[in-house]
Amino acid sequence: MAARLSSAAHYEALLAKYDTWMFDCDGVLWHGDRLIDGAIEVLDLLRSRNKKVLFVTNNATKSRKSYKGKFDTLGVEAHVDEIYGSAYAAAVYVSSVMKLPKDKKVYVIGMKGMEDELRDEGVAFLGGTDPADSTLSPFSLDAFTLDPTVGAVLCGLDTSINYTKLSKAFQYLTRNTGCAFLATNEDSTYPAGGGLLPGAGAISAPLRYALGRDPVSIGKPASTMLDCIKAKVNFDPARTIMIGDRLNTDILFGQNGGLATLLVLTGITTEAEVTGPTASSIVPDFVTQSIGDLRVLGK
Amino acid sequence: MAARLSSAAHYEALLAKYDTWMFDCDGVLWHGDRLIDGAIEVLDLLRSRNKKVLFVTNNATKSRKSYKGKFDTLGVEAHVDEIYGSAYAAAVYVSSVMKLPKDKKVYVIGMKGMEDELRDEGVAFLGGTDPADSTLSPFSLDAFTLDPTVGAVLCGLDTSINYTKLSKAFQYLTRNTGCAFLATNEDSTYPAGGGLLPGAGAISAPLRYALGRDPVSIGKPASTMLDCIKAKVNFDPARTIMIGDRLNTDILFGQNGGLATLLVLTGITTEAEVTGPTASSIVPDFVTQSIGDLRVLGK
């Protein structure tokens, strides 16, 4: 059972045990454009106690640089090299883990942030925001020319998803031998405008269904994201805690990586999913109402 | 094991046993715009022997009336009341099986043919080909007004699929209590231009994934389609044969309905899926190379 934290002594014990604090962002530090009460003070407090702070997000629509703009707008201190997004992790995966040859390309279903990260990692790509693929006209297979250099299809959240993009990706995945099927993340939904919208997993779902094949998923809860962080940052998993609002992404990610886990209830997970007869089988080490609760330490 | 048919005696025995002949169309009678050799002669032969001929297609992009145009263009005799499409069956399902109250509407992800069939059955709908939903602009949940009268979401093949349609459908399915989730069919792919493209099942897949819930599927292999035919045509299942090129739609549909089944190899199913170590667990009663093979009877 998860330990419920509520007193200064509880939080002080946490600070003593963990040197590296990995944060999910939406639902933990903010909701859309609204800061969670106390988030800035708690991050400042952690930094003042010499804790390493990292931000680990499945948001693949923004590059790290552009995601930093979100922190700036909300007045949250963050450095680009503290931010790990699934678009960045996917680009690192393509260049450094699968080591896509330099004469091969990635067909992108995704947005500008994903293109920026691929470009920064020196990965050639097509599709993405290309106006030729931003169309609702019928797709003609007869008029389509298969690019034999496409060695991977990478899917992330793409609010311009359409049948042409799906059809092209399907051709590459069925006709280019060995073409890899990658997804930045498989979140079923994401919070937006006070509700939920279909997430990145819903964007790769048509291909998964048509192919009868699952993508390699990069973001939380996959350990690929943690491997990407490990390649860049020194930290001891035994002294690291992952803080998130989602059991099947954030908390599972921490558990898969051997990290401690702290669930906050300011996001998608409700009290009923943590305790009681309908509780999830994914059990975090610790639960607290809000990250803002740790403010008591600063008093 | 399926009985392999090849001689006039084999086909003559088939004619003696079955009075009603249900045909899948694409891959059986034609490929796209090209007739299967002998298809017209065989259909004429069946009619001359007083067999009832029905056409049962999962194609949900065309109404029966417009699908008849396809027969006309190819010179194949067919009457509208011999044609059963999944858009028509879905409209009948909504009006006659689920009996959607007259003050309720269907949100459509689909094309003109589906709208035509719903209109003919007196079912109110929104979405579909509405220009307001044909957009690649970002979807704003704040600007969206939920229509509380939407009592069902119906998904079919829609080559104008986009994020706005998926997001609206997701809102109805999660926020309108009791909203039904329907799919015309769940074909993973369909043949086009000498290749394959993502099918209707790929269009409902994002919703299935985001919702964690499967739609009620109307078309083959579901028996809903056969119930729809039964409501309109008299036939004895024990003296009916279903002819198709797909094991997991056509042949399974026949088996689910207690019909005999004949697989042709002019479409999507290969010889290796019928015999040998990689054979499917779905075994038709009979196999013949092409529907055109039955021409020997006319000689």
Side-chain angles (χ1 to χ4, degrees), chain A residues 134-136 141-142 159 163 171 186 190 192-193 196-198 201-202 206 209, chain B residues 134-136 141-142 159 163 171 186 190 192-193 196-198 201-202 206 209:
Chain A
S134 281
T135 175
L136 290 176
L141 199 49
D142 294 326
T159 58
Y163 196 70
Q171 300 311 309
E186 300 199 279
Y190 72 98
L196 291 175
L197 289 174
Y209 189 87
Chain B
S134 281
T135 175
L136 290 175
L141 199 51
D142 294 326
T159 58
Y163 196 71
Q171 300 311 308
E186 300 199 278
Y190 73 99
L196 290 174
L197 290 175
Y209 189 87

PDB file of all heavy atoms in Angstrom, chain A residues 134-136 141-142 159 163 171 186 190 192-193 196-198 201-202 206 209, chain B residues 134-136 141-142 159 163 171 186 190 192-193 196-198 201-202 206 209:
ATOM      1  N   SER A 134      -0.460  17.762 -45.407  1.00  0.00           N
ATOM      2  CA  SER A 134      -1.540  18.388 -44.625  1.00  0.00           C
ATOM      3  C   SER A 134      -2.737  18.590 -45.532  1.00  0.00           C
ATOM      4  O   SER A 134      -3.000  19.696 -46.004  1.00  0.00           O
ATOM      5  CB  SER A 134      -1.067  19.723 -44.046  1.00  0.00           C
ATOM      6  OG  SER A 134      -0.271  19.490 -42.922  1.00  0.00           O
ATOM      7  N   THR A 135      -3.445  17.514 -45.781  1.00  0.00           N
ATOM      8  CA  THR A 135      -4.540  17.562 -46.742  1.00  0.00           C
ATOM      9  C   THR A 135      -5.664  16.632 -46.316  1.00  0.00           C
ATOM     10  O   THR A 135      -5.419  15.609 -45.678  1.00  0.00           O
ATOM     11  CB  THR A 135      -4.027  17.156 -48.144  1.00  0.00           C
ATOM     12  OG1 THR A 135      -5.139  17.108 -49.031  1.00  0.00           O
ATOM     13  CG2 THR A 135      -3.360  15.789 -48.127  1.00  0.00           C
ATOM     14  N   LEU A 136      -6.874  17.035 -46.668  1.00  0.00           N
ATOM     15  CA  LEU A 136      -8.027  16.156 -46.457  1.00  0.00           C
ATOM     16  C   LEU A 136      -8.525  15.592 -47.781  1.00  0.00           C
ATOM     17  O   LEU A 136      -9.583  14.964 -47.842  1.00  0.00           O
ATOM     18  CB  LEU A 136      -9.144  16.909 -45.727  1.00  0.00           C
ATOM     19  CG  LEU A 136      -8.854  17.232 -44.260  1.00  0.00           C
ATOM     20  CD1 LEU A 136      -9.967  18.071 -43.655  1.00  0.00           C
ATOM     21  CD2 LEU A 136      -8.674  15.939 -43.458  1.00  0.00           C
ATOM     22  N   LEU A 141      -3.174   5.887 -54.094  1.00  0.00           N
ATOM     23  CA  LEU A 141      -2.008   5.011 -54.047  1.00  0.00           C
ATOM     24  C   LEU A 141      -1.278   5.029 -55.390  1.00  0.00           C
ATOM     25  O   LEU A 141      -0.053   4.934 -55.443  1.00  0.00           O
ATOM     26  CB  LEU A 141      -2.467   3.588 -53.690  1.00  0.00           C
ATOM     27  CG  LEU A 141      -1.428   2.623 -53.153  1.00  0.00           C
ATOM     28  CD1 LEU A 141      -0.606   3.221 -52.026  1.00  0.00           C
ATOM     29  CD2 LEU A 141      -2.104   1.342 -52.689  1.00  0.00           C
ATOM     30  N   ASP A 142      -2.053   5.180 -56.472  1.00  0.00           N
ATOM     31  CA  ASP A 142      -1.444   5.210 -57.799  1.00  0.00           C
ATOM     32  C   ASP A 142      -0.501   6.405 -57.955  1.00  0.00           C
ATOM     33  O   ASP A 142       0.508   6.332 -58.651  1.00  0.00           O
ATOM     34  CB  ASP A 142      -2.532   5.276 -58.883  1.00  0.00           C
ATOM     35  CG  ASP A 142      -3.357   4.001 -58.919  1.00  0.00           C
ATOM     36  OD1 ASP A 142      -2.787   2.925 -58.658  1.00  0.00           O
ATOM     37  OD2 ASP A 142      -4.574   4.085 -59.183  1.00  0.00           O
ATOM     38  N   THR A 159      -2.134  16.846 -34.164  1.00  0.00           N
ATOM     39  CA  THR A 159      -3.519  17.321 -34.289  1.00  0.00           C
ATOM     40  C   THR A 159      -3.870  17.626 -35.743  1.00  0.00           C
ATOM     41  O   THR A 159      -4.985  18.046 -36.023  1.00  0.00           O
ATOM     42  CB  THR A 159      -3.779  18.550 -33.388  1.00  0.00           C
ATOM     43  OG1 THR A 159      -2.866  19.571 -33.760  1.00  0.00           O
ATOM     44  CG2 THR A 159      -3.603  18.194 -31.919  1.00  0.00           C
ATOM     45  N   TYR A 163      -5.816  11.081 -43.359  1.00  0.00           N
ATOM     46  CA  TYR A 163      -5.743   9.779 -44.027  1.00  0.00           C
ATOM     47  C   TYR A 163      -4.505   9.656 -44.926  1.00  0.00           C
ATOM     48  O   TYR A 163      -3.960   8.560 -45.082  1.00  0.00           O
ATOM     49  CB  TYR A 163      -7.020   9.540 -44.836  1.00  0.00           C
ATOM     50  CG  TYR A 163      -7.198   8.095 -45.229  1.00  0.00           C
ATOM     51  CD1 TYR A 163      -7.503   7.133 -44.274  1.00  0.00           C
ATOM     52  CD2 TYR A 163      -7.030   7.682 -46.546  1.00  0.00           C
ATOM     53  CE1 TYR A 163      -7.644   5.803 -44.613  1.00  0.00           C
ATOM     54  CE2 TYR A 163      -7.173   6.352 -46.896  1.00  0.00           C
ATOM     55  CZ  TYR A 163      -7.477   5.409 -45.928  1.00  0.00           C
ATOM     56  OH  TYR A 163      -7.605   4.097 -46.267  1.00  0.00           O
ATOM     57  N   GLN A 171       2.167   2.445 -46.042  1.00  0.00           N
ATOM     58  CA  GLN A 171       2.952   1.941 -47.174  1.00  0.00           C
ATOM     59  C   GLN A 171       4.396   1.683 -46.760  1.00  0.00           C
ATOM     60  O   GLN A 171       4.970   0.641 -47.079  1.00  0.00           O
ATOM     61  CB  GLN A 171       2.920   2.943 -48.359  1.00  0.00           C
ATOM     62  CG  GLN A 171       1.529   3.228 -48.905  1.00  0.00           C
ATOM     63  CD  GLN A 171       0.716   1.969 -49.193  1.00  0.00           C
ATOM     64  OE1 GLN A 171       1.191   1.062 -49.864  1.00  0.00           O
ATOM     65  NE2 GLN A 171      -0.493   1.891 -48.653  1.00  0.00           N
ATOM     66  N   GLU A 186       2.401   6.416 -25.679  1.00  0.00           N
ATOM     67  CA  GLU A 186       1.127   5.750 -25.966  1.00  0.00           C
ATOM     68  C   GLU A 186       0.026   6.213 -25.017  1.00  0.00           C
ATOM     69  O   GLU A 186      -0.906   5.459 -24.743  1.00  0.00           O
ATOM     70  CB  GLU A 186       1.311   4.233 -25.907  1.00  0.00           C
ATOM     71  CG  GLU A 186       2.338   3.754 -26.927  1.00  0.00           C
ATOM     72  CD  GLU A 186       2.201   2.268 -27.207  1.00  0.00           C
ATOM     73  OE1 GLU A 186       2.715   1.474 -26.389  1.00  0.00           O
ATOM     74  OE2 GLU A 186       1.574   1.913 -28.217  1.00  0.00           O
ATOM     75  N   TYR A 190      -5.002  13.115 -23.178  1.00  0.00           N
ATOM     76  CA  TYR A 190      -4.234  14.139 -22.466  1.00  0.00           C
ATOM     77  C   TYR A 190      -5.189  15.242 -22.041  1.00  0.00           C
ATOM     78  O   TYR A 190      -6.222  15.462 -22.686  1.00  0.00           O
ATOM     79  CB  TYR A 190      -3.060  14.665 -23.302  1.00  0.00           C
ATOM     80  CG  TYR A 190      -3.440  15.546 -24.456  1.00  0.00           C
ATOM     81  CD1 TYR A 190      -3.388  16.932 -24.345  1.00  0.00           C
ATOM     82  CD2 TYR A 190      -3.857  15.005 -25.667  1.00  0.00           C
ATOM     83  CE1 TYR A 190      -3.736  17.754 -25.412  1.00  0.00           C
ATOM     84  CE2 TYR A 190      -4.213  15.815 -26.734  1.00  0.00           C
ATOM     85  CZ  TYR A 190      -4.151  17.184 -26.595  1.00  0.00           C
ATOM     86  OH  TYR A 190      -4.502  17.988 -27.651  1.00  0.00           O
ATOM     87  N   ALA A 192      -6.785  18.822 -21.566  1.00  0.00           N
ATOM     88  CA  ALA A 192      -6.807  20.060 -22.353  1.00  0.00           C
ATOM     89  C   ALA A 192      -8.121  20.771 -22.110  1.00  0.00           C
ATOM     90  O   ALA A 192      -9.175  20.144 -22.108  1.00  0.00           O
ATOM     91  CB  ALA A 192      -6.656  19.755 -23.842  1.00  0.00           C
ATOM     92  N   GLY A 193      -8.044  22.070 -21.897  1.00  0.00           N
ATOM     93  CA  GLY A 193      -9.242  22.904 -21.785  1.00  0.00           C
ATOM     94  C   GLY A 193     -10.267  22.365 -20.812  1.00  0.00           C
ATOM     95  O   GLY A 193     -11.456  22.382 -21.096  1.00  0.00           O
ATOM     96  N   LEU A 196     -10.578  16.116 -21.515  1.00  0.00           N
ATOM     97  CA  LEU A 196      -9.584  15.197 -22.079  1.00  0.00           C
ATOM     98  C   LEU A 196      -9.758  15.123 -23.593  1.00  0.00           C
ATOM     99  O   LEU A 196     -10.878  15.195 -24.104  1.00  0.00           O
ATOM    100  CB  LEU A 196      -9.766  13.793 -21.492  1.00  0.00           C
ATOM    101  CG  LEU A 196      -9.413  13.597 -20.019  1.00  0.00           C
ATOM    102  CD1 LEU A 196      -9.773  12.178 -19.584  1.00  0.00           C
ATOM    103  CD2 LEU A 196      -7.925  13.860 -19.774  1.00  0.00           C
ATOM    104  N   LEU A 197      -8.658  14.955 -24.285  1.00  0.00           N
ATOM    105  CA  LEU A 197      -8.682  14.742 -25.737  1.00  0.00           C
ATOM    106  C   LEU A 197      -7.874  13.484 -26.055  1.00  0.00           C
ATOM    107  O   LEU A 197      -7.038  13.065 -25.249  1.00  0.00           O
ATOM    108  CB  LEU A 197      -8.083  15.953 -26.465  1.00  0.00           C
ATOM    109  CG  LEU A 197      -8.930  17.231 -26.442  1.00  0.00           C
ATOM    110  CD1 LEU A 197      -8.174  18.390 -27.072  1.00  0.00           C
ATOM    111  CD2 LEU A 197     -10.257  17.002 -27.163  1.00  0.00           C
ATOM    112  N   PRO A 198      -8.116  12.869 -27.232  1.00  0.00           N
ATOM    113  CA  PRO A 198      -7.358  11.668 -27.598  1.00  0.00           C
ATOM    114  C   PRO A 198      -5.846  11.957 -27.628  1.00  0.00           C
ATOM    115  O   PRO A 198      -5.428  12.981 -28.174  1.00  0.00           O
ATOM    116  CB  PRO A 198      -7.891  11.335 -29.001  1.00  0.00           C
ATOM    117  CG  PRO A 198      -9.266  11.941 -29.049  1.00  0.00           C
ATOM    118  CD  PRO A 198      -9.153  13.206 -28.239  1.00  0.00           C
ATOM    119  N   GLY A 201      -1.281   7.913 -28.214  1.00  0.00           N
ATOM    120  CA  GLY A 201      -1.571   6.501 -28.482  1.00  0.00           C
ATOM    121  C   GLY A 201      -2.721   6.342 -29.458  1.00  0.00           C
ATOM    122  O   GLY A 201      -2.799   5.354 -30.197  1.00  0.00           O
ATOM    123  N   ALA A 202      -3.627   7.316 -29.466  1.00  0.00           N
ATOM    124  CA  ALA A 202      -4.755   7.277 -30.400  1.00  0.00           C
ATOM    125  C   ALA A 202      -4.306   7.612 -31.823  1.00  0.00           C
ATOM    126  O   ALA A 202      -4.957   7.222 -32.793  1.00  0.00           O
ATOM    127  CB  ALA A 202      -5.857   8.239 -29.956  1.00  0.00           C
ATOM    128  N   PRO A 206      -4.451   3.702 -35.435  1.00  0.00           N
ATOM    129  CA  PRO A 206      -4.882   3.210 -36.751  1.00  0.00           C
ATOM    130  C   PRO A 206      -3.819   2.326 -37.413  1.00  0.00           C
ATOM    131  O   PRO A 206      -4.152   1.309 -38.033  1.00  0.00           O
ATOM    132  CB  PRO A 206      -5.080   4.502 -37.563  1.00  0.00           C
ATOM    133  CG  PRO A 206      -5.308   5.567 -36.560  1.00  0.00           C
ATOM    134  CD  PRO A 206      -4.502   5.175 -35.353  1.00  0.00           C
ATOM    135  N   TYR A 209      -3.587  -0.998 -35.622  1.00  0.00           N
ATOM    136  CA  TYR A 209      -4.723  -1.849 -35.997  1.00  0.00           C
ATOM    137  C   TYR A 209      -4.566  -2.400 -37.416  1.00  0.00           C
ATOM    138  O   TYR A 209      -4.766  -3.590 -37.660  1.00  0.00           O
ATOM    139  CB  TYR A 209      -6.023  -1.055 -35.875  1.00  0.00           C
ATOM    140  CG  TYR A 209      -7.252  -1.920 -36.037  1.00  0.00           C
ATOM    141  CD1 TYR A 209      -7.799  -2.584 -34.950  1.00  0.00           C
ATOM    142  CD2 TYR A 209      -7.841  -2.087 -37.279  1.00  0.00           C
ATOM    143  CE1 TYR A 209      -8.907  -3.389 -35.089  1.00  0.00           C
ATOM    144  CE2 TYR A 209      -8.958  -2.900 -37.436  1.00  0.00           C
ATOM    145  CZ  TYR A 209      -9.486  -3.550 -36.341  1.00  0.00           C
ATOM    146  OH  TYR A 209     -10.579  -4.360 -36.498  1.00  0.00           O
TER     147      TYR A 209
ATOM    148  N   SER B 134     -14.567  19.300 -41.450  1.00  0.00           N
ATOM    149  CA  SER B 134     -13.508  18.960 -42.406  1.00  0.00           C
ATOM    150  C   SER B 134     -12.401  19.982 -42.279  1.00  0.00           C
ATOM    151  O   SER B 134     -12.289  20.898 -43.090  1.00  0.00           O
ATOM    152  CB  SER B 134     -14.064  18.936 -43.832  1.00  0.00           C
ATOM    153  OG  SER B 134     -14.754  17.736 -44.050  1.00  0.00           O
ATOM    154  N   THR B 135     -11.614  19.835 -41.250  1.00  0.00           N
ATOM    155  CA  THR B 135     -10.588  20.838 -40.962  1.00  0.00           C
ATOM    156  C   THR B 135      -9.349  20.182 -40.374  1.00  0.00           C
ATOM    157  O   THR B 135      -9.456  19.162 -39.689  1.00  0.00           O
ATOM    158  CB  THR B 135     -11.145  21.892 -39.980  1.00  0.00           C
ATOM    159  OG1 THR B 135     -10.094  22.786 -39.631  1.00  0.00           O
ATOM    160  CG2 THR B 135     -11.687  21.246 -38.712  1.00  0.00           C
ATOM    161  N   LEU B 136      -8.206  20.785 -40.668  1.00  0.00           N
ATOM    162  CA  LEU B 136      -6.961  20.339 -40.031  1.00  0.00           C
ATOM    163  C   LEU B 136      -6.496  21.354 -38.993  1.00  0.00           C
ATOM    164  O   LEU B 136      -5.380  21.259 -38.478  1.00  0.00           O
ATOM    165  CB  LEU B 136      -5.870  20.104 -41.088  1.00  0.00           C
ATOM    166  CG  LEU B 136      -6.107  18.880 -41.980  1.00  0.00           C
ATOM    167  CD1 LEU B 136      -5.048  18.780 -43.065  1.00  0.00           C
ATOM    168  CD2 LEU B 136      -6.114  17.601 -41.142  1.00  0.00           C
ATOM    169  N   LEU B 141     -11.251  22.546 -27.231  1.00  0.00           N
ATOM    170  CA  LEU B 141     -12.318  22.028 -26.387  1.00  0.00           C
ATOM    171  C   LEU B 141     -13.125  23.181 -25.787  1.00  0.00           C
ATOM    172  O   LEU B 141     -14.342  23.066 -25.595  1.00  0.00           O
ATOM    173  CB  LEU B 141     -11.694  21.159 -25.284  1.00  0.00           C
ATOM    174  CG  LEU B 141     -12.600  20.163 -24.565  1.00  0.00           C
ATOM    175  CD1 LEU B 141     -13.375  19.298 -25.540  1.00  0.00           C
ATOM    176  CD2 LEU B 141     -11.773  19.292 -23.622  1.00  0.00           C
ATOM    177  N   ASP B 142     -12.457  24.298 -25.514  1.00  0.00           N
ATOM    178  CA  ASP B 142     -13.149  25.464 -24.944  1.00  0.00           C
ATOM    179  C   ASP B 142     -14.210  26.005 -25.902  1.00  0.00           C
ATOM    180  O   ASP B 142     -15.242  26.510 -25.475  1.00  0.00           O
ATOM    181  CB  ASP B 142     -12.137  26.576 -24.630  1.00  0.00           C
ATOM    182  CG  ASP B 142     -11.185  26.155 -23.515  1.00  0.00           C
ATOM    183  OD1 ASP B 142     -11.630  25.426 -22.614  1.00  0.00           O
ATOM    184  OD2 ASP B 142     -10.000  26.545 -23.563  1.00  0.00           O
ATOM    185  N   THR B 159     -12.077   8.903 -45.438  1.00  0.00           N
ATOM    186  CA  THR B 159     -10.760   9.349 -45.906  1.00  0.00           C
ATOM    187  C   THR B 159     -10.543  10.831 -45.595  1.00  0.00           C
ATOM    188  O   THR B 159      -9.497  11.376 -45.926  1.00  0.00           O
ATOM    189  CB  THR B 159     -10.580   9.065 -47.411  1.00  0.00           C
ATOM    190  OG1 THR B 159     -11.617   9.730 -48.127  1.00  0.00           O
ATOM    191  CG2 THR B 159     -10.628   7.569 -47.696  1.00  0.00           C
ATOM    192  N   TYR B 163      -8.459  15.234 -36.605  1.00  0.00           N
ATOM    193  CA  TYR B 163      -8.444  15.302 -35.143  1.00  0.00           C
ATOM    194  C   TYR B 163      -9.709  15.928 -34.575  1.00  0.00           C
ATOM    195  O   TYR B 163     -10.152  15.567 -33.477  1.00  0.00           O
ATOM    196  CB  TYR B 163      -7.201  16.052 -34.668  1.00  0.00           C
ATOM    197  CG  TYR B 163      -6.902  15.831 -33.208  1.00  0.00           C
ATOM    198  CD1 TYR B 163      -6.427  14.606 -32.765  1.00  0.00           C
ATOM    199  CD2 TYR B 163      -7.115  16.832 -32.270  1.00  0.00           C
ATOM    200  CE1 TYR B 163      -6.174  14.377 -31.428  1.00  0.00           C
ATOM    201  CE2 TYR B 163      -6.854  16.625 -30.927  1.00  0.00           C
ATOM    202  CZ  TYR B 163      -6.379  15.394 -30.519  1.00  0.00           C
ATOM    203  OH  TYR B 163      -6.128  15.166 -29.179  1.00  0.00           O
ATOM    204  N   GLN B 171     -15.691  13.306 -27.141  1.00  0.00           N
ATOM    205  CA  GLN B 171     -16.499  14.061 -26.162  1.00  0.00           C
ATOM    206  C   GLN B 171     -17.879  13.417 -26.006  1.00  0.00           C
ATOM    207  O   GLN B 171     -18.366  13.229 -24.890  1.00  0.00           O
ATOM    208  CB  GLN B 171     -16.647  15.536 -26.569  1.00  0.00           C
ATOM    209  CG  GLN B 171     -15.331  16.295 -26.689  1.00  0.00           C
ATOM    210  CD  GLN B 171     -14.405  16.108 -25.498  1.00  0.00           C
ATOM    211  OE1 GLN B 171     -14.797  16.301 -24.348  1.00  0.00           O
ATOM    212  NE2 GLN B 171     -13.167  15.699 -25.758  1.00  0.00           N
ATOM    213  N   GLU B 186     -15.003  -3.518 -39.236  1.00  0.00           N
ATOM    214  CA  GLU B 186     -13.691  -3.399 -38.599  1.00  0.00           C
ATOM    215  C   GLU B 186     -12.583  -3.960 -39.483  1.00  0.00           C
ATOM    216  O   GLU B 186     -11.565  -4.421 -38.967  1.00  0.00           O
ATOM    217  CB  GLU B 186     -13.712  -4.091 -37.236  1.00  0.00           C
ATOM    218  CG  GLU B 186     -14.752  -3.480 -36.303  1.00  0.00           C
ATOM    219  CD  GLU B 186     -14.483  -3.823 -34.850  1.00  0.00           C
ATOM    220  OE1 GLU B 186     -14.874  -4.922 -34.430  1.00  0.00           O
ATOM    221  OE2 GLU B 186     -13.876  -2.990 -34.160  1.00  0.00           O
ATOM    222  N   TYR B 190      -8.171  -2.291 -46.828  1.00  0.00           N
ATOM    223  CA  TYR B 190      -8.992  -2.591 -48.002  1.00  0.00           C
ATOM    224  C   TYR B 190      -8.131  -2.422 -49.247  1.00  0.00           C
ATOM    225  O   TYR B 190      -7.162  -1.648 -49.246  1.00  0.00           O
ATOM    226  CB  TYR B 190     -10.252  -1.728 -48.049  1.00  0.00           C
ATOM    227  CG  TYR B 190     -10.029  -0.281 -48.402  1.00  0.00           C
ATOM    228  CD1 TYR B 190     -10.233   0.188 -49.693  1.00  0.00           C
ATOM    229  CD2 TYR B 190      -9.609   0.639 -47.440  1.00  0.00           C
ATOM    230  CE1 TYR B 190     -10.034   1.519 -50.021  1.00  0.00           C
ATOM    231  CE2 TYR B 190      -9.407   1.961 -47.762  1.00  0.00           C
ATOM    232  CZ  TYR B 190      -9.622   2.396 -49.049  1.00  0.00           C
ATOM    233  OH  TYR B 190      -9.410   3.710 -49.376  1.00  0.00           O
ATOM    234  N   ALA B 192      -6.863  -1.223 -52.803  1.00  0.00           N
ATOM    235  CA  ALA B 192      -7.023   0.002 -53.592  1.00  0.00           C
ATOM    236  C   ALA B 192      -5.772   0.208 -54.425  1.00  0.00           C
ATOM    237  O   ALA B 192      -4.661   0.054 -53.917  1.00  0.00           O
ATOM    238  CB  ALA B 192      -7.219   1.204 -52.685  1.00  0.00           C
ATOM    239  N   GLY B 193      -5.985   0.526 -55.703  1.00  0.00           N
ATOM    240  CA  GLY B 193      -4.860   0.888 -56.569  1.00  0.00           C
ATOM    241  C   GLY B 193      -3.731  -0.119 -56.559  1.00  0.00           C
ATOM    242  O   GLY B 193      -2.560   0.265 -56.528  1.00  0.00           O
ATOM    243  N   LEU B 196      -2.819  -1.995 -50.612  1.00  0.00           N
ATOM    244  CA  LEU B 196      -3.746  -1.969 -49.472  1.00  0.00           C
ATOM    245  C   LEU B 196      -3.661  -0.606 -48.779  1.00  0.00           C
ATOM    246  O   LEU B 196      -2.592  -0.003 -48.712  1.00  0.00           O
ATOM    247  CB  LEU B 196      -3.381  -3.058 -48.465  1.00  0.00           C
ATOM    248  CG  LEU B 196      -3.621  -4.511 -48.883  1.00  0.00           C
ATOM    249  CD1 LEU B 196      -3.071  -5.462 -47.821  1.00  0.00           C
ATOM    250  CD2 LEU B 196      -5.108  -4.783 -49.120  1.00  0.00           C
ATOM    251  N   LEU B 197      -4.794  -0.168 -48.268  1.00  0.00           N
ATOM    252  CA  LEU B 197      -4.840   1.058 -47.474  1.00  0.00           C
ATOM    253  C   LEU B 197      -5.532   0.742 -46.152  1.00  0.00           C
ATOM    254  O   LEU B 197      -6.269  -0.238 -46.046  1.00  0.00           O
ATOM    255  CB  LEU B 197      -5.602   2.154 -48.235  1.00  0.00           C
ATOM    256  CG  LEU B 197      -4.894   2.732 -49.464  1.00  0.00           C
ATOM    257  CD1 LEU B 197      -5.803   3.712 -50.206  1.00  0.00           C
ATOM    258  CD2 LEU B 197      -3.595   3.433 -49.053  1.00  0.00           C
ATOM    259  N   PRO B 198      -5.306   1.596 -45.127  1.00  0.00           N
ATOM    260  CA  PRO B 198      -5.963   1.350 -43.838  1.00  0.00           C
ATOM    261  C   PRO B 198      -7.486   1.340 -43.981  1.00  0.00           C
ATOM    262  O   PRO B 198      -8.056   2.210 -44.649  1.00  0.00           O
ATOM    263  CB  PRO B 198      -5.497   2.539 -42.978  1.00  0.00           C
ATOM    264  CG  PRO B 198      -4.192   2.964 -43.601  1.00  0.00           C
ATOM    265  CD  PRO B 198      -4.373   2.745 -45.081  1.00  0.00           C
ATOM    266  N   GLY B 201     -11.661  -0.248 -39.769  1.00  0.00           N
ATOM    267  CA  GLY B 201     -11.243  -0.555 -38.402  1.00  0.00           C
ATOM    268  C   GLY B 201     -10.144   0.367 -37.917  1.00  0.00           C
ATOM    269  O   GLY B 201     -10.016   0.632 -36.718  1.00  0.00           O
ATOM    270  N   ALA B 202      -9.350   0.876 -38.852  1.00  0.00           N
ATOM    271  CA  ALA B 202      -8.284   1.818 -38.499  1.00  0.00           C
ATOM    272  C   ALA B 202      -8.851   3.197 -38.178  1.00  0.00           C
ATOM    273  O   ALA B 202      -8.234   3.981 -37.459  1.00  0.00           O
ATOM    274  CB  ALA B 202      -7.267   1.913 -39.637  1.00  0.00           C
ATOM    275  N   PRO B 206      -8.557   4.874 -33.143  1.00  0.00           N
ATOM    276  CA  PRO B 206      -8.162   5.914 -32.171  1.00  0.00           C
ATOM    277  C   PRO B 206      -9.168   6.044 -31.026  1.00  0.00           C
ATOM    278  O   PRO B 206      -8.781   6.210 -29.867  1.00  0.00           O
ATOM    279  CB  PRO B 206      -8.157   7.202 -33.009  1.00  0.00           C
ATOM    280  CG  PRO B 206      -7.969   6.751 -34.415  1.00  0.00           C
ATOM    281  CD  PRO B 206      -8.664   5.419 -34.507  1.00  0.00           C
ATOM    282  N   TYR B 209      -8.959   3.040 -28.742  1.00  0.00           N
ATOM    283  CA  TYR B 209      -7.769   3.142 -27.885  1.00  0.00           C
ATOM    284  C   TYR B 209      -7.956   4.187 -26.778  1.00  0.00           C
ATOM    285  O   TYR B 209      -7.667   3.927 -25.613  1.00  0.00           O
ATOM    286  CB  TYR B 209      -6.553   3.486 -28.739  1.00  0.00           C
ATOM    287  CG  TYR B 209      -5.256   3.395 -27.980  1.00  0.00           C
ATOM    288  CD1 TYR B 209      -4.569   2.199 -27.883  1.00  0.00           C
ATOM    289  CD2 TYR B 209      -4.731   4.511 -27.324  1.00  0.00           C
ATOM    290  CE1 TYR B 209      -3.391   2.107 -27.162  1.00  0.00           C
ATOM    291  CE2 TYR B 209      -3.560   4.430 -26.602  1.00  0.00           C
ATOM    292  CZ  TYR B 209      -2.884   3.223 -26.528  1.00  0.00           C
ATOM    293  OH  TYR B 209      -1.729   3.131 -25.797  1.00  0.00           O
TER     294      TYR B 209
END
